[in-house]
Amino acid sequence: MTEQIKKEEIKKKLQEIRHSFYAYRNGIVSESLKKLYPADAMIFGLTVPQFNEIAARYGKYLELGRELWKEKNIRESRLLALYILPPELIDEGEAKSMIRDVRSIEEAEMLAFKVLRNLKDANLILEKLSEPEKEFEELNQRDPVRYCLEMFARNLQQIRK
């Protein structure tokens, strides 16, 4: 598959996904979530079963997940990305970048649960993230990032039991 065809395919899938967001939008849930997100966030109010349903249509799809994650201002894009991204293809650098990029507690929880705990070298990556690192010292003061790291550690502890 050529790069151009792949880009067109992803663009088409992104449009389909956005149509699903509009079809499933829930004003009541959306309004209740607005206080938990930055003011510029677009929130449709989808629920976990709806995310599961949409994700099932696309399966694990690295490029599509990355494109959804880039849509920082759309709650549903960011969360759906975490359902679609295949953790075994996420390396340490991308994991760190995603943690740095977390915008809400909800994103932090889902990132830790859906992706981070399932990384190929999850224990090693968590160990490295727990060491004092200049890049994370400042970020750890941001609640969603600190919370994401805590949830990552808790999720791994549960798996080990």
Side-chain angles (χ1 to χ4, degrees):
M1 181 181 299
T2 68
E3 191 64 31
Q4 184 60 32
I5 293 172
K6 199 175 207 177
K7 285 181 181 179
E8 288 174 20
E9 177 188 321
I10 290 171
K11 186 176 179 181
K12 182 181 178 213
K13 290 182 184 304
L14 287 170
Q15 285 179 317
E16 292 170 3
I17 287 168
R18 287 185 195 111
H19 286 293
S20 296
F21 293 166
Y22 279 101
Y24 286 129
R25 73 178 171 242
N26 181 328
I28 295 168
V29 174
S30 175
E31 282 303 312
S32 68
L33 289 169
K34 283 189 178 184
K35 62 182 173 248
L36 304 174
Y37 276 82
D40 63 342
M42 180 182 291
I43 301 170
F44 291 94
L46 272 66
T47 61
V48 170
Q50 293 164 330
F51 284 115
N52 283 326
E53 184 180 321
I54 296 170
R57 289 185 224 154
Y58 300 96
K60 295 294 183 184
Y61 195 146
L62 183 65
E63 294 85 2
L64 183 60
R66 284 176 174 159
E67 288 301 313
L68 286 164
W69 185 255
K70 288 179 189 175
E71 296 182 344
K72 293 179 188 248
N73 295 333
I74 304 173
R75 169 192 175 257
E76 283 70 16
S77 291
R78 301 278 286 194
L79 294 180
L80 184 61
L82 303 173
Y83 283 77
I84 292 175
L85 284 167
E88 64 277 4
L89 299 179
I90 305 293
D91 64 17
E92 180 182 339
E94 189 169 4
K96 282 181 175 182
S97 177
M98 291 178 78
I99 293 167
R100 248 186 249 107
D101 204 27
V102 167
R103 297 189 60 179
S104 72
I105 297 297
E106 184 180 31
E107 272 182 22
E109 285 180 344
M110 294 305 286
L111 176 60
F113 184 74
K114 291 285 190 184
V115 177
L116 298 177
R117 77 182 195 149
N118 296 308
L119 293 172
K120 188 170 39 176
D121 297 320
N123 288 316
L124 182 63
I125 292 171
L126 179 61
E127 195 175 297
K128 286 182 179 180
L129 291 173
S130 299
E131 295 170 5
E133 262 188 63
K134 201 166 195 139
E135 65 182 303
F136 276 98
E137 276 179 35
E138 186 178 311
L139 290 173
N140 280 337
Q141 302 312 308
R142 282 186 41 223
D143 284 346
V145 172
R146 185 180 71 240
Y147 187 74
C148 185
L149 293 171
E150 290 171 7
M151 292 305 297
F152 182 19
R154 286 183 191 164
N155 276 294
L156 278 181
Q157 285 174 345
Q158 288 176 348
I159 290 172
R160 289 180 197 147
K161 288 183 180 179

